[in-house]
Amino acid sequence: MKHEYIEFAFDEKLGYARCLMICNGQAFEGGAKCHPDDMDMISERTGCCIAEARAYIKALRFKRDHEIQPKLDVLRHLYSNMQTSKYFNPKSYEAKMLRSQIGAIEKELAAVSEDLAEEKKYLKEYIDKKDKFYQRLRARNQ
């Protein structure tokens, strides 16, 4: 999913990073607040990276829940209604094309769901690695 616009803001005093991302005309905001125990290691880059990942996760959820899933539901409903007709022919061009479209949208939904899971995993791993890095630095400095 590509974004059309991205903007970052960072407030070092509050330890807060914000990311505004615009994708397909929709705005998504992600934020990251530095943990009070980590204020000695505060980093604009880390905060902005986490904020961007959170904005991207929101964008993927929006695409999944408000764009792809409703399309799929409508097409499935249409196909179900067609099947109730006494004139329904599963071998007709229309029925085949509708099944094809449903299959394509199901694949798109699966791909976005996979991207969402990967992005969540990436964010968790990124935060965990930063925590371990900070702990090693503190141990070394004591």
Side-chain angles (χ1 to χ4, degrees):
M1 174 181 243
K2 294 184 179 182
H3 56 271
E4 300 156 14
Y5 176 80
I6 192 162
E7 175 183 293
F8 295 98
F10 181 70
D11 186 331
E12 191 168 356
K13 291 178 186 174
L14 296 176
Y16 188 78
R18 182 182 140 280
C19 174
L20 175 66
M21 181 183 292
I22 298 179
C23 302
N24 299 329
Q26 290 286 344
F28 303 97
E29 186 174 332
K33 179 140 179 62
C34 186
H35 191 278
D37 295 343
D38 295 334
M39 288 301 279
D40 60 328
M41 302 278 186
I42 192 165
S43 165
E44 179 177 357
R45 182 171 186 225
T46 298
C48 289
C49 186
I50 293 170
E52 181 180 10
R54 288 180 175 157
Y56 188 62
I57 288 169
K58 287 180 182 180
L60 288 171
R61 281 186 183 141
F62 182 86
K63 183 173 183 164
R64 180 193 66 192
D65 298 341
H66 298 285
E67 293 177 5
I68 300 171
Q69 189 64 53
K71 262 192 241 181
L72 185 58
D73 293 343
V74 166
L75 291 179
R76 284 178 176 162
H77 184 70
L78 175 61
Y79 192 77
S80 175
N81 284 344
M82 285 173 57
Q83 287 179 308
T84 62
S85 170
K86 65 181 179 180
Y87 301 108
F88 177 69
N89 177 3
K91 295 180 181 179
S92 71
Y93 172 79
E94 292 81 9
K96 288 179 183 178
M97 287 305 295
L98 193 51
R99 284 193 305 269
S100 173
Q101 287 297 312
I102 289 170
I105 292 174
E106 286 173 339
K107 286 180 183 175
E108 184 181 7
L109 181 62
V112 168
S113 296
E114 186 179 313
D115 288 350
L116 182 58
E118 286 178 18
E119 190 67 20
K120 286 179 179 179
K121 181 182 173 188
Y122 161 78
L123 180 59
K124 183 181 180 337
E125 288 173 355
Y126 183 83
I127 291 171
D128 290 346
K129 285 179 182 177
K130 283 291 180 184
D131 286 342
K132 287 178 185 174
F133 175 69
Y134 292 163
Q135 289 170 4
R136 283 196 317 262
L137 275 178
R138 286 187 185 105
R140 196 175 288 163
N141 292 337
Q142 288 181 354

